Amino acid sequence: MTAFFQSLGMSYEWAWFVATVSGILLIALPLLLGVAMIIYADRKIWAAMALRRGPNVVGPFGLLQSFADGLKVFLQETIVPSAANKAIFLIAPVVTFTVALMAWAVIPFSELAVLADINVGLLYVLAISSLGVYGTVMAGWASNSKYPFFSAMRASAQMISYEVSIGFILICVVLWAGTFNLNDIVRAQQGHGLGILNGFAFNILLFPMWVMFLISSLAETQRAPFDLTEAESELVAGYQTEYSSMAFAAYWLGEYANVLLMCALNATLFFGGWLPPLDLPFLYIVPGFVWFLLKVLFFFFVFSWVKATVPRYRYDQLMRLGWKVFLPVSLGFVVLVSGYLMLTRYTV
């Protein structure tokens, strides 16, 4: 894209700047529109599973419901509790929303459609996703209210518990692919399963890692059955209890942007990303971003399906699953995968 703007007569510096800003807008604007649409889809899926109709009044088939909700919160008054730390209280939702968008910089939508194709892309995603808890913790502390504070403590413990196992799961993927670059990880999955299936999930050693990564993704994004940070029967609404107007909407948008990010990572790391499901020549006629989008939508359906059907865990069950099941199993698979690769791929 930089070369295109240079061809219009710009200097390299200006061409690089305009190309970078254009790339950011090409990701951020469709992502925000996508978030509005998947909130609608989420509600429709829940309704279908409960034999209800869901949103169906605002616009054709209720498609404009999310925009109506956005307009409503935009016109509401932003109320800051008198005892709150006002600066941190207002910064917290901005942190959550901004961090949710930053991780998309390294996600490859197709072979060439990636904003920053860096060699440490997976480490960047891991670092950025770990910052997401700060918005929750800041909100819980700054609200100066006991239920948001309890929620903040839960969020920090939950995030730490599942990021440890996610780290070991990603080590298995990196060992097999031999790179941290997300595009190269996608390429390494071509024909990986039985010579015809594209995806690490079809590897007998990496399939359990994908199952654990999917469950950890639910915990990392605080989705049901791991939504202990906003358990309405215990904490009213958790860390966002004291929020209203656009500050509340920023949390809502950040949560769904994170959900889409985890869906994208499931597709990229284990199901071939922008590659077609089968390594057949005629399937490559379809553009890579179409396959990527279809896989992301499939995983979002799984997330919604789980939320609509699985009851919420108790907090002790959540901690036990993270520390007593996922951590030892993922660590064991790091040993298994590295041992297998040393025996078959590398000379000891």
Side-chain angles (χ1 to χ4, degrees), residues 69-91:
D69 292 339
L71 179 63
K72 179 184 72 174
V73 296
F74 180 74
L75 296 175
Q76 288 176 340
E77 180 185 0
T78 300
I79 299 172
V80 181
S82 58
N85 185 316
K86 294 182 181 179
I88 297 178
F89 184 86
L90 294 174
I91 290 172

Side-chain angles (χ1 to χ4, degrees), residues 11-316:
S11 65
Y12 174 79
E13 291 77 10
W14 273 107
W16 176 87
F17 175 76
V18 174
T20 302
V21 172
S22 302
I24 292 170
L25 293 176
L26 281 172
I27 292 174
L29 296 180
L31 181 61
L32 292 176
L33 179 62
V35 165
M37 287 294 97
I38 66 161
I39 292 174
Y40 165 79
D42 214 9
R43 295 173 66 179
K44 276 292 192 181
I45 293 168
W46 300 343
M49 293 193 178
L51 300 180
R52 295 184 289 105
R53 295 186 64 187
N56 60 80
V57 175
V58 185
F61 308 105
L63 284 169
L64 301 179
Q65 182 66 55
S66 294
F67 300 100
D69 292 339
L71 179 63
K72 179 184 72 174
V73 296
F74 180 74
L75 296 175
Q76 288 176 340
E77 180 185 0
T78 300
I79 299 172
V80 181
S82 58
N85 185 316
K86 294 182 181 179
I88 297 178
F89 184 86
L90 294 174
I91 290 172
V94 177
V95 170
T96 297
F97 181 62
T98 305
V99 167
L101 295 181
M102 285 171 62
W104 285 90
V106 296
I107 300 295
F109 295 88
S110 69
E111 190 168 13
L112 300 177
V114 54
L115 181 62
D117 193 18
I118 56 178
N119 290 330
V120 289
L122 193 55
L123 284 179
Y124 173 85
V125 170
L126 196 61
I128 292 296
S129 63
S130 66
L131 294 176
V133 71
Y134 284 103
T136 305
V137 172
M138 289 166 66
W141 184 83
S143 296
N144 199 18
S145 175
K146 64 178 180 181
Y147 286 136
F149 185 65
F150 289 157
S151 173
M153 290 193 296
R154 284 185 174 190
S156 56
Q158 180 172 327
M159 199 75 73
I160 291 167
S161 300
Y162 284 86
E163 278 184 358
V164 174
S165 56
I166 282 179
F168 285 126
I169 292 166
L170 296 183
I171 286 173
C172 294
V173 174
V174 169
L175 285 171
W176 208 286
T179 178
F180 283 100
N181 182 285
L182 290 173
N183 248 331
D184 290 340
I185 289 174
V186 171
R187 294 187 190 100
Q189 299 176 60
Q190 187 168 359
H192 188 75
L194 304 175
I196 192 171
L197 296 167
N198 294 329
F200 282 148
F202 306 107
N203 181 320
I204 195 169
L205 282 176
L206 295 180
F207 176 77
M209 294 294 95
W210 165 65
V211 174
M212 290 171 55
F213 185 78
L214 178 64
I215 297 170
S216 297
S217 300
L218 292 168
E220 187 81 0
T221 54
Q222 297 154 15
R223 291 276 290 188
F226 306 113
D227 55 340
L228 277 302
T229 56
E230 47 185 295
E232 69 281 350
S233 59
E234 305 161 24
L235 302 178
V236 186
Y239 58 91
Q240 54 195 11
T241 300
E242 305 292 346
Y243 282 89
S244 61
S245 186
M246 284 306 293
F248 177 80
Y251 274 116
W252 196 242
L253 292 171
E255 176 187 337
Y256 277 91
N258 273 325
V259 168
L260 277 181
L261 175 66
M262 284 300 171
C263 293
L265 286 176
N266 272 280
T268 301
L269 298 176
F270 292 98
F271 281 85
W274 40 262
L275 294 173
L278 301 174
D279 192 23
L280 299 175
F282 68 90
L283 291 178
Y284 287 89
I285 297 171
V286 179
F289 74 89
V290 174
W291 291 118
F292 178 77
L293 180 62
L294 290 173
K295 292 173 184 178
V296 169
L297 291 176
F298 168 75
F299 280 111
F300 181 75
F301 172 77
V302 173
F303 271 57
S304 296
W305 183 8
V306 170
K307 183 164 185 173
T309 55
V310 180
R312 181 181 291 127
Y313 266 37
R314 293 196 317 267
Y315 199 71
D316 62 296

